[in-house]
Amino acid sequence: MSIREIREAFNAGSGGPEAALEALAKIVRGESGNGSLNAFLCTVPEDALSEQAARAPTGRLGGVPVAVKDNLATSDLCTTCGSKILEGYVSPYEATAVRRLREAGALVVGKTNMDEFAMGSSNENSAFGPVRNPVDLARVPGGSSGGSAAAVAAGYVPVALGSDTGGSVRQPASFCGVVGVKPTYGRISRYGLVAFGSSLDQIGVLSRSVVDAAEVLGVISGHDPRDSTSSEREVPDLVGACSGDVDGLVIGVPEEYFPDTLDVQVRARCEAALERMEAAGATVRRVSLPHTRYAIPTYYVLATAEASSNLARYDGVRYGFRAPEAASAEAVYCRTRSSGFGAEVKRRIILGTYALSAGYYDAYYGRAQRVRERLACEFADVFAGGVDVLFTPTSPTVAFPLGERVADPVSMYLSDVFTVTANLANLPAISVPVGEVGGLPVGGQFIGPAWGESTMFRAAAALERAMEGSA
Ligand code: GLN
């Protein structure tokens, strides 16, 4: 069911909670036994969900079951970030986005599996086991919001929240064949989102349709006094934007996002999508964003630097896990962090600490900040030159087999080559299914100008309509 169908039944008093209970039953059934996706780290008990449903107000998300990534604080369920260091941790407060979902009538059914502290592109970095792609169980669902993407793709829930620091909502959405959106930096409060790279992190939405993503994004967006980086700008009518036409819309296609190394089938699906947009009245203009080649190294300096600072708080004293038998304070820190964090998280903390250390700060962190600024200016220039929205592949490949890239971090990092730029430039971006290659979904990405979510949703919904009925 779409959000609108569930809401109408709920608000009329003729159903809705059933949808949530059915979602829960599906999860419990699907997640036990062989073929389990391992998409959830915990779910709400049935009686607690019934209670939630009885108390839920009617509203824009009345009765809608929602899954929430496990790095968003919920006061009734675990918040582990896929890490052993937070195993068993329950937050004393809730993320603003989660609170707004509940106030709009949504029912939170469970917390989804993820790469540890949102670091990864395959969900294989979770301390609680990898998630499987429901389209092909031998393949990864993408990451780091892999559990949320798998839960939506499997039909367990109509929508899920994720977080996107460098592509973690859009890349798994494209691998699982669903819609994934991250808005402009500052559109959604980060209060209660466990920090990874604070200047890049945004909450995002995964759903089966563009309009459902617009519904949820509209509810969770807007200023929050608890996050000074959340914007006071008015939130536009994103659902209304979905029914707009694209006549005269100028779509910029940056050549750097269609390199020779791009999978030929992925390229073909994206080119076909562009042809459909042209048939719907849009104009395609080839553009260039030459600083794109610096995006991955810039991202991996800035994101790791911020992570090394943000993750200093997991010291065995304040949260979750503490290593036993440590005789001194230093031993508590060392042992807790050595055995509580996984390999990728440690790699990032070491990289980030190095980039920030005296003598290297200017050469790495300072320089990366300047490149980030350049990259943002380059995007701004393209939009100022008359381009309404950009279109690119979401990821250079389709979902890869489990295990294929675990031993090679750089090849893993490169799966985000087309998504990190929107985070570095603070721009909104959305991934929409554009077909399949050998049964595996391909995603196309629209990147909008800052605060240009309306245009981006208009383009994405038009593409979704244009793709309907095609393979
Ligand atoms: N895959 C990227 C990384 O590992 C992006 C992660 C994210 O967006 N949270 O950092």
Side-chain angles (χ1 to χ4, degrees):
M1 282 165 96
S2 70
I3 288 185
R4 209 183 86 202
E5 288 165 340
I6 298 171
R7 172 180 63 213
E8 279 171 4
F10 180 81
N11 291 355
S14 61
E18 288 81 37
L21 284 169
E22 201 194 301
L24 185 61
K26 265 195 233 162
I27 297 164
V28 173
R29 239 185 286 124
E31 294 288 77
S32 50
N34 289 339
S36 152
L37 303 176
N38 201 23
F40 281 83
L41 293 177
C42 58
T43 48
V44 171
E46 195 175 317
D47 50 341
L49 189 64
S50 303
E51 222 172 277
Q52 257 194 68
R55 278 198 323 263
T58 55
R60 284 170 75 181
L61 300 180
V64 175
V66 182
V68 173
K69 188 176 181 179
D70 206 31
N71 59 350
L72 283 152
T74 43
S75 52
D76 57 343
L77 291 165
C78 66
T79 300
T80 69
C81 296
S83 181
K84 193 180 156 199
I85 214 161
L86 283 175
E87 193 164 6
Y89 176 71
V90 179
S91 165
Y93 70 96
E94 286 207 310
T96 297
V98 173
R99 183 173 52 78
R100 287 187 179 169
L101 287 179
R102 295 198 206 266
E103 284 169 2
L107 306 171
V108 176
V109 296
K111 302 297 286 292
T112 55
N113 201 347
M114 56 183 282
D115 283 301
E116 185 175 9
F117 285 103
M119 298 173 186
S121 307
S122 69
N123 229 277
E124 292 163 298
N125 294 338
S126 167
F128 307 110
V131 175
R132 290 167 186 279
N133 190 324
V135 181
D136 176 347
L137 296 178
R139 292 182 184 257
V140 303
S144 64
S145 312
S148 289
V152 172
Y156 291 160
V157 281
V159 279
L161 294 190
S163 68
D164 192 309
T165 306
S168 278
V169 164
R170 293 160 286 152
Q171 186 257 19
S174 96
F175 278 17
C176 292
V178 300
V179 173
V181 59
K182 92 134 199 116
T184 310
Y185 184 83
R187 185 64 95 181
I188 301 176
S189 167
R190 290 180 294 112
Y191 182 74
L193 168 66
V194 178
F196 162 14
S198 313
S199 78
L200 302 155
D201 298 338
Q202 268 296 284
I203 294 170
V205 180
L206 297 106
S207 63
R208 296 179 78 89
S209 70
V210 175
V211 72
D212 279 0
E215 293 269 14
V216 175
L217 203 66
V219 166
I220 62 178
S221 291
H223 181 65
D224 173 16
R226 290 183 161 127
D227 173 6
S228 62
T229 66
S230 69
S231 169
E232 306 220 0
R233 276 170 194 262
E234 210 181 301
V235 181
D237 174 11
L238 300 174
V239 173
C242 291
S243 49
D245 68 59
V246 290
D247 214 19
L249 188 85
V250 180
I251 302 174
V253 179
E255 56 175 304
E256 292 78 6
Y257 289 70
F258 291 81
D260 293 341
T261 48
L262 180 63
D263 181 299
V264 287
Q265 301 280 10
V266 170
R267 176 195 301 271
R269 294 296 166 278
C270 289
E271 294 289 353
L274 280 167
E275 276 167 29
R276 282 166 194 262
M277 290 301 281
E278 281 184 307
T283 308
V284 170
R285 189 189 292 176
R286 305 283 156 174
V287 298
S288 174
L289 292 163
H291 281 81
T292 303
R293 55 191 288 240
Y294 303 115
I296 287 283
T298 304
Y299 171 83
Y300 276 96
V301 170
L302 297 176
T304 57
E306 293 184 21
S308 71
S309 165
N310 277 325
L311 269 57
R313 75 192 63 176
Y314 306 105
D315 53 9
V317 177
R318 285 172 286 183
Y319 306 92
F321 170 77
R322 174 187 299 181
E325 292 167 30
S328 66
E330 192 175 342
V332 170
Y333 302 153
C334 279
R335 288 197 197 167
T336 299
R337 290 168 68 83
S338 296
S339 59
F341 287 135
E344 180 62 24
V345 172
K346 286 187 215 169
R347 173 163 33 236
R348 305 240 183 155
I349 292 173
I350 292 167
L351 260 170
T353 305
Y354 180 78
L356 289 175
S357 57
Y360 293 108
Y361 183 96
D362 286 338
Y364 294 108
Y365 190 74
R367 183 177 291 185
Q369 289 276 49
R370 291 195 293 278
V371 177
R372 179 179 188 178
E373 188 59 35
R374 275 285 186 89
L375 212 102
C377 288
E378 205 167 83
F379 272 104
D381 287 347
V382 166
F383 289 119
V387 165
D388 296 310
V389 69
L390 292 160
F391 183 76
T392 78
T394 306
S395 186
T397 64
V398 292
F400 44 86
L402 279 153
E404 187 186 88
R405 302 193 185 174
V406 275
D408 182 357
V410 173
S411 80
M412 190 71 92
Y413 296 172
L414 286 173
S415 41
D416 298 305
V417 63
F418 300 148
T419 49
V420 293
T421 49
N423 303 77
L424 289 168
N426 301 334
L427 302 175
I430 188 168
S431 179
V432 186
V434 292
E436 290 176 356
V437 172
L440 298 169
V442 178
Q445 171 180 242
F446 286 107
I447 304 175
W451 312 109
E453 279 88 352
S454 291
T455 313
M456 187 181 82
F457 270 99
R458 185 151 58 90
L463 178 56
E464 181 180 59
R465 285 194 297 275
M467 293 306 303
E468 245 150 52
S470 74

